[in-house]
Amino acid sequence: MSAATSIPAPKFPARVWSHPLLAALDARARTELESAGGVRVLADGDKLFGAGDPADALFVVITGAIALRSGARRAELRRAAAWDVVGEEAAARSHATRRHDATAVGRTELAVVPAALLRRVMARGEETDAGRRTQRWLVRALASDTLERADFARDLPPRAREMMLDAGRPIELRRGDTLHRDGDESGEAYFLAEGIIQIATEADHARVLAYHKAGDFFGDEAIEGETRDATATATSDAWIFAVRADVVRELALAHPDARARAMRVQTAARDRQREIRENATRHVLADLHRFETSRSLLAIDQEQCIRCGHCAWSCAESHDDGISRLLRRGDVVVAKVRGEAKTLLLPSSCQHCKNPACMIDCPTGAITRDADGEVHIREELCTGCGSCAKACPWDNIQMAPRGDAKRSLPIVRTESPAVAVKCDLCHGRDGGPACVSACPVSAIVRIDPSVDLDEVRAVLDPKAGGFGADAARVAPKRSGRAQSLLVPASLIAAAGVGAGAFEALEGASRFASGVVLLVMVLALVGYAAVKRLGLRIRGRASKLARVRPHFVVHLGVGVAALGVAAAHARGHSPLAISFWAVAGLGMLAGLVGFLAPKRLARIERSALLPEELGERIREQDARVFRDLSGKSDLLKGLYARVLRPFSRSILVLAHVCVTGPSQRATRARLRAKVDALVGEPDERLDGLDGLVAIAVERQALRAQRVLTRLLRATSFAHVVAAAGLVVIVALHVAAELAR
């Protein structure tokens, strides 16, 4: 595909302004749009935009044509000829995305009209008759586009779609708004143009029945005149075209094949989603809007992460102001990555949204998005107003002190002491993001959730097949058993090498064995440098569970070096004892580093920094006092005899640290024990469930603190012992050279 060329800001041909969407604009508005816009030239086959791209401009065809295609069939929906408009959705909503693939047919020339500016100038005249006509035309164009690609409507003849357009109305919903509730009258059927609608029951045990995405037809109970049997809620901003039930009913009776096809599609989608929901793990589908919006989401595999903090430290060190753009706090979700369940921490770090909310209200244009979709803040343009930080739905932008070097920049004169900062993916840094390359265990990675998370992809991707099959189609599953056997197999092989080296070098000169041992010591010490340099991760979620080659080599060389050291020392010398001490502590650190993160991932309910654990335990104690105030003596007695001892028991703490049970399972066992003591239900036990949860969480927090300290202590002991070994080897070499 050849690149498009741009001609900077010429005057548009006069006929551009004759289009119904632009005809009502005054001379001032036209001048502003011409100054900010331009003319774009595409060769035959060039792509103007693709489905899902941000809708940041609309286009008027001057010469040539643009073909619009959509859906799995890739059939041509329409062809925009000279003086037609393409990309009307950009004028309707500030966070719109493209609905089609648009491709040039022959050499095509287009007038580029910036969407944000067009919406502003249209708002100035929306109270006039011409402005209202423009809005009506725009709504009808968007509704027509929606029907052309929606289930049921796209299989109807043009005249039938015109009937729907005459009998419909637009509905705009904000995230969290309710479209209808269970039991409401069904007076309309719906065609979803943009956004995600969740269909769920409102019973005692509420459950999600389906998710509808752009292009879906739903609310078909209106055809039969039935009441709503579920509640529809927008999980993201949505644009819906609602058509009166009597019109849809008439067309369904007149075109039964079209309705049957639509129902088959809808039933198949619901069946597939039911399989997804039944196999989905902890609330990964609870925030589909975030996963749909994110282009580059930072994720940390909690079963690999050793909670060392290198990611945040490296982020701070890689920026001149010393402020980390990554905060190790955020949501913890369990999601399937290529068919394997992973516990992922989503720390507070910019996710480079496909439609960044932070860009909308920036008064100086300091926030920009490059051709690769990465969102950057030009700090020399930032006035420190904080609009972007307030607009970010996930609090991933922070205000930081403005350095002296940035105060004197001539581009923006401001007295503000603050400047907005966020993750910039270490733009311009060799090796990519510092947090990724600094992670010693390769636990941190950037992912595109709509591609890399199985459940999210299966719900959002209209071409997705079955739940398990789709994961296999995207990336063949690698053998986890082969990976798990790699480390022990390497250790066994290294032990054999060490034994062979002992036999071969035992009778050799001490000089020869000393040289071999010195080389191996240097290789072992060099592991730290290799780990610091980091392996540049260019893959996505498939890298989350990989075995680290440098770590395996380090283990193998360490075990083999034991045989060489024994052959060289020929006894219980300080050198041999030091080697055994370092090896023993290294094996212990490796074992703890392998087991502890897996236990932590199971018992953690939220991401807490190690230094916050003690304070959270004290908060739990204060909460107990609050919750017991004014309660019955029976409840207080149960807490004193059962729950309090449980929350402080050393044996329970050891059990949690060793087995790592989930808090849910522990709560169920503890509640069963209490119920066995109490017998029949008693109204005096009101508040018992809350106290059980506190006791379990307090014990889990203690286990988190123990395991985190163990991770740090064993690694620190190994490093100290290794430093001592290096000193002993250096003294030994110096003594031998002196002789």
Side-chain angles (χ1 to χ4, degrees), residues 4 86 125 133 168 185 198 304 329 365 390 452 526 535 568 588 612 629 640 707:
V86 179
R133 284 197 301 272
E185 294 296 325
Q198 175 187 278
Q304 294 282 108
R329 297 183 184 87
K390 295 173 185 174
D452 297 315
L535 296 178
H568 180 70
L588 177 62
E612 297 174 334
S629 297
L707 291 172

mmCIF file of all heavy atoms in Angstrom, residues 4 86 125 133 168 185 198 304 329 365 390 452 526 535 568 588 612 629 640 707:
data_model
loop_
_atom_site.group_PDB
_atom_site.id
_atom_site.type_symbol
_atom_site.label_atom_id
_atom_site.label_comp_id
_atom_site.label_asym_id
_atom_site.label_seq_id
_atom_site.Cartn_x
_atom_site.Cartn_y
_atom_site.Cartn_z
ATOM 1 N N ALA A 4 0.105 7.965 1.319
ATOM 2 C CA ALA A 4 -0.633 9.105 0.779
ATOM 3 C C ALA A 4 0.199 10.365 0.896
ATOM 4 O O ALA A 4 1.005 10.519 1.795
ATOM 5 C CB ALA A 4 -1.950 9.266 1.528
ATOM 6 N N VAL A 86 -17.411 11.414 3.296
ATOM 7 C CA VAL A 86 -17.014 10.132 3.874
ATOM 8 C C VAL A 86 -16.569 10.375 5.322
ATOM 9 O O VAL A 86 -15.865 11.353 5.603
ATOM 10 C CB VAL A 86 -15.843 9.503 3.089
ATOM 11 C CG1 VAL A 86 -15.430 8.183 3.726
ATOM 12 C CG2 VAL A 86 -16.231 9.292 1.646
ATOM 13 N N GLY A 125 -23.645 27.499 15.451
ATOM 14 C CA GLY A 125 -24.832 27.817 14.661
ATOM 15 C C GLY A 125 -25.954 26.820 14.786
ATOM 16 O O GLY A 125 -26.881 26.817 13.974
ATOM 17 N N ARG A 133 -31.105 21.954 10.419
ATOM 18 C CA ARG A 133 -31.188 21.104 9.226
ATOM 19 C C ARG A 133 -29.922 20.273 9.080
ATOM 20 O O ARG A 133 -29.974 19.085 8.718
ATOM 21 C CB ARG A 133 -31.399 21.968 7.972
ATOM 22 C CG ARG A 133 -32.816 22.498 7.810
ATOM 23 C CD ARG A 133 -33.052 22.984 6.376
ATOM 24 N NE ARG A 133 -32.120 24.043 5.990
ATOM 25 C CZ ARG A 133 -32.320 25.336 6.199
ATOM 26 N NH1 ARG A 133 -33.430 25.744 6.808
ATOM 27 N NH2 ARG A 133 -31.433 26.234 5.810
ATOM 28 N N GLY A 168 -37.538 6.172 13.140
ATOM 29 C CA GLY A 168 -36.546 5.975 14.196
ATOM 30 C C GLY A 168 -36.090 7.260 14.848
ATOM 31 O O GLY A 168 -36.455 8.357 14.421
ATOM 32 N N GLU A 185 -41.978 -1.853 28.988
ATOM 33 C CA GLU A 185 -42.659 -2.108 27.724
ATOM 34 C C GLU A 185 -41.651 -2.020 26.580
ATOM 35 O O GLU A 185 -40.738 -1.197 26.598
ATOM 36 C CB GLU A 185 -43.781 -1.099 27.505
ATOM 37 C CG GLU A 185 -44.918 -1.210 28.509
ATOM 38 C CD GLU A 185 -45.642 -2.545 28.416
ATOM 39 O OE1 GLU A 185 -45.765 -3.064 27.279
ATOM 40 O OE2 GLU A 185 -46.061 -3.076 29.461
ATOM 41 N N GLN A 198 -24.506 -3.992 27.676
ATOM 42 C CA GLN A 198 -24.571 -5.225 28.459
ATOM 43 C C GLN A 198 -26.033 -5.559 28.757
ATOM 44 O O GLN A 198 -26.784 -4.710 29.224
ATOM 45 C CB GLN A 198 -23.797 -5.065 29.767
ATOM 46 C CG GLN A 198 -23.912 -6.251 30.710
ATOM 47 C CD GLN A 198 -23.260 -5.976 32.050
ATOM 48 O OE1 GLN A 198 -22.052 -6.105 32.199
ATOM 49 N NE2 GLN A 198 -24.063 -5.590 33.027
ATOM 50 N N GLN A 304 4.712 -14.360 38.207
ATOM 51 C CA GLN A 304 6.140 -14.253 37.908
ATOM 52 C C GLN A 304 6.808 -13.130 38.706
ATOM 53 O O GLN A 304 7.979 -13.226 39.056
ATOM 54 C CB GLN A 304 6.346 -13.980 36.417
ATOM 55 C CG GLN A 304 5.917 -15.098 35.491
ATOM 56 C CD GLN A 304 6.930 -16.224 35.458
ATOM 57 O OE1 GLN A 304 6.683 -17.287 35.993
ATOM 58 N NE2 GLN A 304 8.055 -15.989 34.838
ATOM 59 N N ARG A 329 0.053 0.255 41.609
ATOM 60 C CA ARG A 329 -1.283 0.080 42.162
ATOM 61 C C ARG A 329 -2.246 -0.012 40.987
ATOM 62 O O ARG A 329 -2.044 0.633 39.972
ATOM 63 C CB ARG A 329 -1.683 1.253 43.052
ATOM 64 C CG ARG A 329 -0.833 1.447 44.283
ATOM 65 C CD ARG A 329 -1.372 2.604 45.114
ATOM 66 N NE ARG A 329 -0.547 2.889 46.268
ATOM 67 C CZ ARG A 329 0.499 3.700 46.268
ATOM 68 N NH1 ARG A 329 0.848 4.289 45.137
ATOM 69 N NH2 ARG A 329 1.196 3.914 47.359
ATOM 70 N N GLY A 365 -3.133 21.943 22.707
ATOM 71 C CA GLY A 365 -2.725 20.855 21.829
ATOM 72 C C GLY A 365 -1.447 20.188 22.285
ATOM 73 O O GLY A 365 -0.703 19.624 21.468
ATOM 74 N N LYS A 390 -7.807 15.276 34.822
ATOM 75 C CA LYS A 390 -9.214 15.108 35.226
ATOM 76 C C LYS A 390 -9.977 14.272 34.210
ATOM 77 O O LYS A 390 -10.907 13.543 34.569
ATOM 78 C CB LYS A 390 -9.875 16.476 35.371
ATOM 79 C CG LYS A 390 -9.293 17.332 36.483
ATOM 80 C CD LYS A 390 -9.888 18.735 36.462
ATOM 81 C CE LYS A 390 -9.223 19.644 37.495
ATOM 82 N NZ LYS A 390 -9.701 21.045 37.389
ATOM 83 N N ASP A 452 -4.889 -9.768 22.821
ATOM 84 C CA ASP A 452 -4.123 -10.705 23.640
ATOM 85 C C ASP A 452 -4.922 -11.389 24.742
ATOM 86 O O ASP A 452 -4.485 -12.412 25.265
ATOM 87 C CB ASP A 452 -2.925 -9.975 24.258
ATOM 88 C CG ASP A 452 -1.959 -9.475 23.206
ATOM 89 O OD1 ASP A 452 -1.645 -10.243 22.291
ATOM 90 O OD2 ASP A 452 -1.529 -8.312 23.279
ATOM 91 N N GLY A 526 28.760 -12.107 36.069
ATOM 92 C CA GLY A 526 28.250 -11.401 34.897
ATOM 93 C C GLY A 526 26.758 -11.535 34.704
ATOM 94 O O GLY A 526 26.144 -10.750 33.975
ATOM 95 N N LEU A 535 16.495 -8.536 28.586
ATOM 96 C CA LEU A 535 16.205 -9.039 27.251
ATOM 97 C C LEU A 535 15.105 -8.178 26.655
ATOM 98 O O LEU A 535 14.058 -7.998 27.256
ATOM 99 C CB LEU A 535 15.750 -10.500 27.316
ATOM 100 C CG LEU A 535 16.810 -11.481 27.840
ATOM 101 C CD1 LEU A 535 16.216 -12.866 27.900
ATOM 102 C CD2 LEU A 535 18.031 -11.461 26.956
ATOM 103 N N HIS A 568 39.260 -28.120 42.808
ATOM 104 C CA HIS A 568 40.346 -27.168 43.021
ATOM 105 C C HIS A 568 40.718 -27.041 44.502
ATOM 106 O O HIS A 568 41.896 -26.984 44.852
ATOM 107 C CB HIS A 568 39.933 -25.794 42.478
ATOM 108 C CG HIS A 568 40.983 -24.742 42.656
ATOM 109 N ND1 HIS A 568 42.168 -24.734 41.950
ATOM 110 C CD2 HIS A 568 41.037 -23.650 43.484
ATOM 111 C CE1 HIS A 568 42.904 -23.696 42.310
ATOM 112 N NE2 HIS A 568 42.234 -23.022 43.250
ATOM 113 N N LEU A 588 17.989 -21.619 47.354
ATOM 114 C CA LEU A 588 16.873 -21.203 48.206
ATOM 115 C C LEU A 588 16.175 -19.978 47.607
ATOM 116 O O LEU A 588 14.936 -19.918 47.545
ATOM 117 C CB LEU A 588 17.370 -20.887 49.615
ATOM 118 C CG LEU A 588 16.310 -20.369 50.600
ATOM 119 C CD1 LEU A 588 15.225 -21.420 50.808
ATOM 120 C CD2 LEU A 588 16.956 -19.983 51.922
ATOM 121 N N GLU A 612 2.997 -0.781 52.416
ATOM 122 C CA GLU A 612 1.619 -0.480 52.776
ATOM 123 C C GLU A 612 0.933 -1.601 53.547
ATOM 124 O O GLU A 612 -0.153 -1.407 54.098
ATOM 125 C CB GLU A 612 0.802 -0.189 51.511
ATOM 126 C CG GLU A 612 1.262 1.036 50.740
ATOM 127 C CD GLU A 612 0.532 1.192 49.425
ATOM 128 O OE1 GLU A 612 0.061 0.169 48.875
ATOM 129 O OE2 GLU A 612 0.444 2.333 48.939
ATOM 130 N N SER A 629 -18.860 -2.685 67.536
ATOM 131 C CA SER A 629 -19.515 -1.720 68.422
ATOM 132 C C SER A 629 -21.028 -1.861 68.318
ATOM 133 O O SER A 629 -21.603 -1.815 67.224
ATOM 134 C CB SER A 629 -19.106 -0.287 68.059
ATOM 135 O OG SER A 629 -17.727 -0.116 68.249
ATOM 136 N N ALA A 640 -13.998 -13.302 69.619
ATOM 137 C CA ALA A 640 -12.901 -13.482 70.575
ATOM 138 C C ALA A 640 -12.393 -14.921 70.600
ATOM 139 O O ALA A 640 -11.188 -15.162 70.729
ATOM 140 C CB ALA A 640 -13.364 -13.058 71.965
ATOM 141 N N LEU A 707 5.786 -13.393 52.783
ATOM 142 C CA LEU A 707 6.305 -13.863 51.501
ATOM 143 C C LEU A 707 7.117 -12.777 50.798
ATOM 144 O O LEU A 707 8.151 -13.063 50.168
ATOM 145 C CB LEU A 707 5.149 -14.320 50.610
ATOM 146 C CG LEU A 707 4.431 -15.604 51.063
ATOM 147 C CD1 LEU A 707 3.187 -15.844 50.229
ATOM 148 C CD2 LEU A 707 5.372 -16.802 50.965
#
